[in-house]
């Protein structure tokens, strides 16, 4: 069992508290812990769906077999999803943590939809699409442009 933290780094312009919506489908590239092969497809799962694990009474958010070596592996969201805060703009911040068994998450694609809030105005921005790696809009209340760019992700082993 490995606990992996997903860390996000972004340049937030006049917005804060960036986070995925509750029904967000998380998109990952996954590497098998046995044969070390990485699946070229984006694998999606979310914290709300659970799947039974074969040969066990346990469940996980993702249960899959490696298409190369056929070993079963799983991943489970830890309870808290955190927002990316403008106070630590352009620095890596942990937004989620996963309990991984037999697999490793090696890449993350933010896609859509995300939500954020205007720093000055408190305006709620919904349906933010990060598929292209950036987003720009105008905050009518504050009269300022808002945006998200320079998105990077990394995974760190957690204790």
């Amino acid at each position: 069992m490995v606990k992996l933290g997903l860390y996000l780094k972004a340049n937030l312009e006049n917005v804060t508290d960036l986070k995925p919506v509750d029904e967000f489908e998380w998109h990952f590239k996954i590497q098998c812990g046995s044969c070390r092969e990485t699946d070229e497809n984006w694998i999606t799962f979310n914290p709300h769906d659970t799947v039974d694990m074969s040969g066990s009474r346990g469940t996980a958010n993702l249960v899959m077999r490696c298409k190369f070596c056929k070993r079963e592996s799983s991943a489970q969201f830890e309870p808290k999803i955190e927002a990316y805060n403008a106070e630590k703009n352009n620095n890596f911040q942990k937004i989620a943590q996963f309990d991984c068994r037999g697999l490793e998450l090696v890449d993350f694609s933010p896609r859509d939809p995300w939500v954020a809030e205007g720093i000055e105005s408190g305006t709620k921005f919904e349906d933010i699409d990060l598929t292209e790696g950036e987003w720009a809009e105008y905050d009518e209340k504050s009269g300022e442009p808002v945006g998200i760019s320079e998105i990077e992700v990394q995974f760190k082993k957690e204790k």
Side-chain angles (χ1 to χ4, degrees):
M1 171 181 67
V2 174
K3 291 197 183 283
L4 283 179
L6 169 58
Y7 287 76
L8 183 73
K9 178 180 176 183
N11 180 15
L12 303 184
E13 181 183 1
N14 299 316
V15 291
T16 191
D17 297 335
L18 174 67
K19 65 181 176 182
V21 297
D22 285 338
E23 278 74 46
F24 186 72
E25 284 293 321
W26 297 69
H27 300 263
F28 295 98
K29 292 279 184 166
I30 295 178
Q31 182 181 70
C32 177
S34 295
C35 68
R36 309 306 293 167
E37 291 288 335
T38 301
D39 193 319
E40 73 275 358
N41 298 313
W42 289 100
I43 308 296
T44 64
F45 64 104
N46 66 59
H48 305 292
D49 295 339
T50 56
V51 181
D52 292 330
M53 296 166 51
S54 64
S56 169
R57 285 189 241 162
T59 61
N61 300 121
L62 171 71
V63 177
M64 63 179 282
R65 285 203 178 277
C66 174
K67 66 182 181 183
F68 303 103
C69 73
K70 309 299 183 220
R71 295 211 53 185
E72 186 175 271
S73 56
S74 65
Q76 177 74 33
F77 278 84
E78 294 288 312
K80 191 170 183 189
I81 309 296
E82 305 202 23
Y84 187 86
N85 193 291
E87 289 176 12
K88 297 179 184 169
N89 202 15
N90 287 312
N91 290 299
F92 281 102
Q93 298 176 47
K94 182 167 72 169
I95 62 166
Q97 184 168 304
F98 305 88
D99 178 356
C100 299
R101 297 171 189 235
L103 62 81
E104 198 166 319
L105 306 173
V106 293
D107 198 6
F108 170 68
S109 176
R111 307 202 183 181
D112 68 332
W114 291 68
V115 295
E117 187 176 302
I119 290 177
E120 298 296 321
S121 65
T123 301
K124 304 278 187 216
F125 294 96
E126 299 175 347
D127 292 326
I128 296 172
D129 184 353
L130 297 176
T131 305
E132 301 298 321
E134 61 185 11
W135 168 82
E137 191 68 58
Y138 186 76
D139 186 341
E140 299 286 336
K141 284 185 188 174
S142 69
E144 298 281 337
V146 293
I148 301 163
S149 61
E150 301 171 27
I151 298 169
E152 295 179 42
V153 297
Q154 68 179 210
F155 295 91
K156 292 182 185 175
K157 289 187 168 120
E158 303 288 328
K159 294 184 182 183

